[in-house]
Every structure is written in structure tokens, then in C-alpha cells.
Amino acid sequence: MGRSIYLTEKEILALIDASSEWVDMMMNGGVPAMQEADNKLNDGLGRALKKLYKGRNGEKAYEDY
């Protein structure tokens, strides 16, 4: 079940910044942190980021989700 959510450009940019920082921190952590980040990306976060990045620089990083 999905729903439509409308965000302002400022809100989209804030979500992109916060999520990118989180992914970077997790991927630079130890193996358990990297596995947790990978799990979250595969369980929906990657797809959500793909939608947030649509038409933006960095979109390609999430094209496989």
C-alpha cells in the first residue's frame, strides 16, 4: 500500500543530505555497520533514495534499487 506525499524542494534536499550522511557514516564504519546499511538499502531505503534523487546529481548511485 503506497501513499502520495508532497515535499517542498527544501524538504527533499534536507532528506537527501541527512540520508546521504547516514549512508556515508554507516559505510565507513565496521563490517556490522556496513551490513546494516546494506540491509536497510535493500529493504526500501535504496528505493526511497532513488525516488528522492530522481533527476538530480547522484541518481545513478541508486539505480539498482
Side-chain angles (χ1 to χ4, degrees):
M1 169 173 58
R3 59 183 160 146
S4 296
I5 298 172
Y6 301 96
L7 303 170
T8 66
E9 186 68 14
K10 186 176 180 179
E11 291 168 334
I12 291 170
L13 292 174
L15 285 171
I16 287 172
D17 285 345
S19 57
S20 295
E21 288 173 7
W22 179 84
V23 170
D24 286 343
M25 286 187 301
M26 295 298 282
M27 291 307 219
N28 288 320
V31 172
M34 292 170 63
Q35 290 173 337
E36 180 65 21
D38 193 49
N39 289 341
K40 296 235 182 254
L41 287 166
N42 288 319
D43 286 341
L45 180 59
R47 218 165 135 69
L49 289 171
K50 179 180 178 179
K51 292 175 185 179
L52 283 174
Y53 272 96
K54 186 157 180 80
R56 299 174 189 282
N57 192 17
E59 177 182 9
K60 192 169 180 80
Y62 300 101
E63 69 185 355
D64 293 333
Y65 293 99

